[in-house]
Amino acid sequence: MALAALMLAGCGLHPLYNGGSVGRVATLLSQIEVAPIPGQSGYMVSNAVRDQLGAAPGVQPLYRLEIKLDDKIIGLGVRRNDTVTRERRTLRARYQLIDLANGTVLLDASAGSDAGIDVVGSEYATIAGENTALERLSATVASQIVARIALYTERTTPAP
């Protein structure tokens, strides 16, 4: 056990959120404002991102996160009578982290995920499945965005 701890310490790995809520990464994440995103998927993604960033009320933002979404539902399985039996919902995000002091784009990246949906006889159940898929996809995409920004912050922000 002690040997494993020594080997791990020697490999250069360290916690991303070192210092907890007052650490370097958490502090920077709390200084990011999320620009409004249109649509239902935009509402869900922006709320999920804000929740994960942990923005403190009253903190003056130093950065703005702009996100553009592409939300699609495509029919996959088709019966002989041309009715769809399976759908695939994809949610893709292109996002930019912008320094508000000078307008510089610090990070330009993308994130995305997809989910399969069974199309059943009840239209209500199918719509509920599509909405549930959107909720899961929004949380997944938000996690990818925040993790990428945290990693960028860790790699580019000098240690105190």
Side-chain angles (χ1 to χ4, degrees):
M1 185 70 155
L3 180 64
L6 286 174
M7 288 175 39
L8 186 59
C11 75
L13 290 177
H14 58 279
L16 185 61
Y17 292 101
N18 190 19
S21 63
V22 294
R24 181 176 56 179
V25 173
T27 300
L28 184 126
L29 291 179
S30 70
Q31 297 172 336
I32 298 173
E33 71 175 3
V34 180
I37 311 167
Q40 179 186 14
S41 57
Y43 173 77
M44 295 177 89
V45 169
S46 65
N47 280 342
V49 169
R50 280 187 193 99
D51 288 346
Q52 293 182 31
L53 288 175
V59 173
Q60 181 67 28
L62 300 177
Y63 309 95
R64 181 177 62 247
L65 181 62
E66 295 183 355
I67 304 171
K68 294 179 181 158
L69 295 176
D70 183 23
D71 181 16
K72 292 183 183 174
I73 299 177
I74 301 168
L76 294 177
V78 180
R79 292 190 179 121
R80 288 184 187 176
N81 63 358
D82 288 334
T83 59
V84 175
T85 60
R86 187 105 174 121
E87 293 175 336
R88 177 179 173 196
R89 185 164 204 162
T90 58
L91 184 62
R92 303 282 181 251
R94 169 94 188 263
Y95 59 96
Q96 294 180 326
L97 182 65
I98 300 169
D99 186 337
L100 291 175
N102 56 21
T104 304
V105 175
L106 302 174
L107 178 64
D108 187 349
S110 60
S113 190
D114 64 330
I117 304 162
D118 287 327
V119 177
V120 295
S122 166
E123 188 174 336
Y124 174 78
T126 300
I127 291 171
E130 291 171 353
N131 288 337
T132 300
L134 179 58
E135 290 173 14
R136 285 193 322 259
L137 294 174
S138 297
T140 300
V141 168
S143 293
Q144 291 173 6
I145 291 171
V146 173
R148 178 67 175 92
I149 293 171
L151 189 59
Y152 168 81
T153 300
E154 176 63 24
R155 290 179 177 169
T156 60
T157 307

